[in-house]
Amino acid sequence: MKKTERSGYLYILIGATLWGVSSVVAKSLFIIGLPPAELVQIRLTLATLTLLLVLLIFDKKRMIISLKDVPYFFVLGFVGVAGVQFTYYYTISKIHVGPAVLIQYLSPVWVALYAFVFQKEPLSKRKIAALLLALLGCYFTVGGYRLDLLRLNRIGIVSGLISSLFFSFYALYGEKGLKKYDPWTLILYGFGFGAVFYWLLISPMRVIAGGYSLKIWVAFLYIAIFSTLIPFGLYFKGIERVRATRASITATWEPVVAGLTAYFVLGEVLSPLQVVGGFGVIAAIVLLQMAKEKASPCTPIETRREE
């Protein structure tokens, strides 16, 4: 395996780990009555301002984009970022975290099918096996075999399905932009336009005047940086090295981390089947790294290097 591929998988695994740990924080905020849309607005605004400040100090070149690409970033932010952020958090607010994560992780299927049909990316037997193993492992990890899942809120289930489609669009459309721009550039403008979208729905002054305690603002900052800015940045850095299909499958590590976090932090018991599911996801990631294609489209980072 190439060094860039190894780093790509590592970036995704770290990002998925951060996502898995932070899901508990978001759920706690919904329990106290915070609307999902308001959390998304706060999340995107704080993440954008933080990244803007960092780039202003350390790397202004990554803030430069072509004017002709503004429509691309507009769609990435208004459709991809705004869509996936709201539907994911709305799903978590309506149903349990485990099923919400499970439904969203149908996205590797949509990504793989799109890449195979429209991008001519080959689907080797090992890649198909890794995809199926990851989905099955994810299913068991979040306790999908429990009969009470059949009684979930229908709106929550529909929202979860829509979220999986938005996440697929975000990954594939973001991969397109990575052929020209650095991941942090995509994050800055994607999140920036996404934040503007929610400013139109919820005034920032409403949040400022919300009277939230210092503890809640610390939670907001945690979600903005460790649940948004860093993991999404790492996810894009992973996509530019291993492509969206492999990245989306590898990201199924998130529910494994979420289950372990719930076990250690909340005292939730892990059943034997959940443990087996976790090992299934790990096996899928290993199998995916072993998969070799005879011919495959260039990764975004390879495309940028050729130009």
Side-chain angles (χ1 to χ4, degrees), residues 9 12 105 107-116 119 121 123 127 131 167-176 178-179 235-252 288 296-301:
Y9 285 114
I12 297 165
Y105 274 98
S107 61
V109 177
W110 316 137
V111 172
L113 289 176
Y114 181 90
F116 174 70
Q119 297 181 334
E121 181 177 333
L123 277 178
K127 187 181 290 184
L131 174 61
F167 192 80
S168 302
F169 172 83
Y170 179 76
L172 291 165
Y173 198 66
E175 183 181 49
K176 177 182 176 181
L178 288 170
K179 294 179 180 180
Y235 186 71
F236 267 160
K237 289 184 76 68
I239 287 179
E240 72 173 351
R241 287 163 170 78
V242 299
R243 293 186 56 81
T245 305
R246 289 173 176 246
S248 61
I249 297 174
T250 306
T252 54
L288 191 64
S296 181
C298 293
T299 61
I301 197 170

Side-chain angles (χ1 to χ4, degrees), residues 151-172:
R151 298 191 295 272
L152 289 175
N153 184 298
R154 290 184 179 180
I155 295 178
I157 294 175
V158 172
S159 175
L161 290 172
I162 295 174
S163 180
S164 73
L165 293 173
F166 271 123
F167 192 80
S168 302
F169 172 83
Y170 179 76
L172 291 165

Side-chain angles (χ1 to χ4, degrees), residues 2 38 41 44 70 80 119 142 155 186-187 206 236 241 288:
K2 298 178 182 178
E38 190 166 326
Q41 192 248 52
L44 293 178
V70 170
Q119 297 181 334
V142 302
I155 295 178
L186 260 69
I187 292 293
R206 171 180 165 181
F236 267 160
R241 287 163 170 78
L288 191 64

Side-chain angles (χ1 to χ4, degrees), residues 284-300:
I285 295 171
V286 173
L287 183 62
L288 191 64
Q289 295 181 54
M290 295 170 59
K292 300 291 183 182
E293 292 99 359
K294 294 181 180 179
S296 181
C298 293
T299 61

Side-chain angles (χ1 to χ4, degrees), residues 57-124:
I57 296 174
F58 297 103
D59 197 347
K60 294 181 181 179
K61 291 183 179 180
R62 291 183 179 178
M63 298 173 57
I64 301 174
I65 62 172
S66 172
L67 288 177
K68 67 178 182 180
D69 292 326
V70 170
Y72 166 82
F73 287 105
F74 177 86
V75 174
L76 180 67
F78 269 57
V79 180
V81 174
V84 73
Q85 298 280 331
F86 175 75
T87 53
Y88 178 59
Y89 273 159
Y90 184 78
T91 303
I92 288 180
S93 72
K94 291 296 182 181
I95 61 179
H96 296 303
V97 174
V101 173
L102 171 63
I103 296 172
Q104 189 188 40
Y105 274 98
L106 288 173
S107 61
V109 177
W110 316 137
V111 172
L113 289 176
Y114 181 90
F116 174 70
V117 175
F118 296 102
Q119 297 181 334
K120 308 303 179 183
E121 181 177 333
L123 277 178
S124 65

Side-chain angles (χ1 to χ4, degrees), residues 19 43 85 170 187 191 227-236:
W19 278 330
R43 179 188 198 189
Q85 298 280 331
Y170 179 76
I187 292 293
F191 281 12
S227 178
T228 309
L229 183 58
I230 295 177
F232 275 99
L234 292 174
Y235 186 71
F236 267 160

